[in-house]
Amino acid sequence: MNLGWLSKLSAVERKTFFAAFGGLALDSMDTTIYALVTPALIATLSLSRPDAGILASSSLIGTALGGWVAGIAADRFGRVRVLQFTILLVAVSTFAAAFADGFWYLLVARAIQGMGYGGEAAVGAVLVAEVVSAGMRGRVAAAIQSGYAVGNALSVALFPVIFGWLSQDMAWRVFFAIGILPALLVFFVRRFVPESAIFVEEKAQRAASPAHSFWTIFTGEHLFKTLVATFFTTGTLGAAYVMITWLPTYLQTGLHLPVTHTAGYLAVNIFGSFVGPIAFGLIADRIGRRKGFMLFLVCQALNVVVYTQAPIGQGITVILGFFLGALQAGLASGLMPTFAELFPTSIRANGAGFALSAGRGLGSIVPATVGILSTRMHLGDAMAICAICGYTAAFCAALLLPEQQGIDLRTMAAGGAPDGAERPPHERETGHPNNIRNGVATQ
């Protein structure tokens, strides 16, 4: 059966893709549970809207810290080993949240969960970028982000079932307890996913040379790339977090939709989140990632304005919800493939992880800001103001973002690849002809 680019991947590339895709999907299920149960937490634990915003931001701050720390660890100990640990961390911390008795317990649990999620997303994306051939890297790495939609769909599908069968006080606890499921994926990763051959090769070469400091990404030619990528992530994800965190609450309290209808609206939004990364990968391969980012940013900003400000009916709301998810996920899908091409192998997970994670941390201020502003204005107005500011900042950063789509990561590690370099055809599936086969180091 011909499945497009998926059929063109080698066995190792496919296993690596599915491991990263599955990890993001299951971890995203855990992460999106919070947004769905926020009204229940407010009602049963006597939380305020500012409290809810702070809890959302605590997870995002944890995501920022976890992504960078996991990136540094992955450059030292290997991508696969750190990937397993981060998946397990998300599962255990989400399960622990089921026993929360108040704000502070949830604050700690959410922060730990965020650390695991940020680490998994960053390390998984770097692993795929290094394993998949340069000509396929953009589409494959972008498609991983569709796993977020799958995880979100799982949580939304379970939402009306659990809340329909159980009391509100018990339902959110059971919902969090289900979050232990991602732990099962660790066994698949441990058994079937090999370490990145590029990492193994580079680690052997640097064994005889001084190790790079984690501070290297802030020096010399790396500093500009680090700052631009971080600023771009801040604007893009800060605006996205507004909709991810507050959309379920806005549908219920702003548009006065019942819980049963909310799940239906979110299902359309999630379907868009699945389609968006695939579309972005194809578009970016044709016009470049920087132009792709700018196109999606403009479209998303217009979409948010109409969604929150125009007097639209239910049918238009559904349509806009699809594009909201598609554009949002498409933008997120291009971040790590782009950042992975900015740094050499010895600091790739560190640099890409920091740019993604620091941007997440700074962007995490935005949902809390919405919660505070919503006490003085309509929730839809607060969401629109914060989201548009984020997308505007991201558009300015995109103008400065280096375009290195398709660069050969192996020769880049050796310092000899010009921008846009591509591996010779006979090396695209097997890597280095002498000692790498199907992405796996051989002796």
Side-chain angles (χ1 to χ4, degrees):
M1 180 181 294
N2 190 340
L3 299 176
W5 56 256
L6 189 61
S7 298
K8 299 178 183 179
L9 300 179
S10 68
V12 169
E13 288 174 334
R14 279 196 296 270
K15 291 175 183 178
T16 304
F17 167 74
F18 283 122
F21 183 94
L24 186 63
L26 292 175
D27 285 355
S28 294
M29 180 191 74
D30 286 5
T31 301
T32 54
I33 285 173
Y34 174 76
L36 294 171
V37 303
T38 293
L41 294 176
I42 291 175
T44 61
L45 295 183
S46 300
L47 301 179
S48 64
R49 277 190 178 177
D51 287 339
I54 292 172
L55 287 173
S57 293
S58 71
S59 176
L60 298 177
I61 293 172
T63 299
L65 179 61
W68 190 24
V69 172
I72 295 172
D75 282 338
R76 182 179 179 85
F77 302 110
R79 286 50 165 135
V80 174
R81 185 181 302 179
V82 176
L83 180 65
Q84 295 176 59
F85 176 78
T86 54
I87 292 173
L88 190 61
L89 190 62
V90 173
V92 173
S93 58
T94 304
F95 179 80
F99 304 96
D101 57 0
F103 172 80
W104 293 106
Y105 185 107
L106 275 175
L107 187 71
V108 174
R110 291 285 296 165
I112 295 175
Q113 182 203 58
M115 292 179 66
Y117 181 77
E120 186 279 330
V123 176
V126 169
L127 175 64
V128 169
E130 291 183 342
V131 170
V132 176
S133 63
M136 300 286 291
R137 186 187 306 136
R139 277 165 285 180
V140 177
I144 292 174
Q145 186 64 31
S146 294
Y148 179 89
V150 174
N152 200 358
L154 289 173
S155 61
V156 170
L158 291 171
F159 177 56
V161 175
I162 295 175
F163 275 77
W165 288 356
L166 302 173
S167 66
Q168 183 173 243
D169 181 63
M170 180 60 66
W172 67 263
R173 296 182 185 276
V174 172
F175 214 171
F176 278 134
I178 293 174
I180 196 66
L181 290 177
L184 300 176
L185 184 65
V186 173
F187 297 102
F188 173 84
V189 176
R190 188 178 184 86
R191 180 174 177 82
F192 296 108
V193 180
E195 184 55 84
S196 158
I198 291 180
F199 170 79
V200 173
E201 186 179 56
E202 193 279 335
K203 185 177 181 180
Q205 292 175 351
R206 63 181 154 116
S209 61
H212 288 282
S213 167
F214 74 91
W215 200 253
T216 303
I217 61 173
F218 303 109
T219 61
E221 61 179 336
H222 305 306
L223 177 60
F224 176 77
K225 296 177 181 179
T226 300
L227 294 179
V228 171
T230 299
F231 190 63
F232 179 77
T233 306
T234 300
T236 301
L237 295 187
Y241 290 152
V242 171
M243 308 309 293
I244 292 172
T245 302
W246 289 107
L247 182 59
T249 303
Y250 176 69
L251 292 176
Q252 293 181 44
T253 63
L255 300 182
H256 305 292
L257 297 177
V259 171
T260 53
H261 288 117
T262 299
Y265 277 84
L266 290 179
V268 175
N269 178 266
I270 291 167
F271 180 64
S273 299
F274 181 83
V275 174
I278 299 173
F280 181 86
L282 294 174
I283 291 173
D285 277 348
R286 293 184 66 88
I287 67 175
R289 296 207 182 107
R290 181 166 55 193
K291 291 181 179 179
F293 280 137
M294 295 168 69
L295 175 63
F296 272 51
L297 285 168
V298 171
C299 292
Q300 183 69 318
L302 294 174
N303 195 27
V304 169
V305 170
V306 176
Y307 202 103
T308 59
Q309 302 300 304
I312 55 179
Q314 293 186 0
I316 299 299
T317 302
V318 172
I319 296 173
L320 292 178
F322 169 82
F323 287 104
L324 188 75
L327 294 168
Q328 184 172 276
L331 286 166
S333 70
L335 295 177
M336 283 304 288
T338 301
F339 299 163
E341 294 171 336
L342 299 180
F343 303 95
T345 303
S346 59
I347 59 171
R348 179 169 297 123
N350 179 5
F354 176 85
L356 184 67
S357 301
R360 277 176 169 160
L362 295 172
S364 69
I365 299 172
V366 185
T369 303
V370 171
I372 295 172
L373 290 178
S374 67
T375 62
R376 300 186 177 183
M377 64 178 68
H378 189 269
L379 178 59
D381 294 338
M383 292 169 63
I385 291 172
C386 292
I388 296 305
C389 288
Y391 290 129
T392 301
F395 188 90
C396 294
L399 296 173
L400 302 174
L401 194 65
E403 179 69 75
Q404 299 199 128
Q405 183 170 325
I407 192 172
D408 186 341
L409 298 185
R410 180 171 287 103
T411 54
M412 181 183 181
D419 289 357
E422 173 68 273
R423 268 192 270 178
H426 67 280
E427 293 183 18
R428 289 179 186 173
E429 296 300 327
T430 59
H432 193 284
N434 294 329
N435 64 343
I436 305 292
R437 182 175 293 108
N438 290 328
V440 184
T442 58
Q443 300 299 321

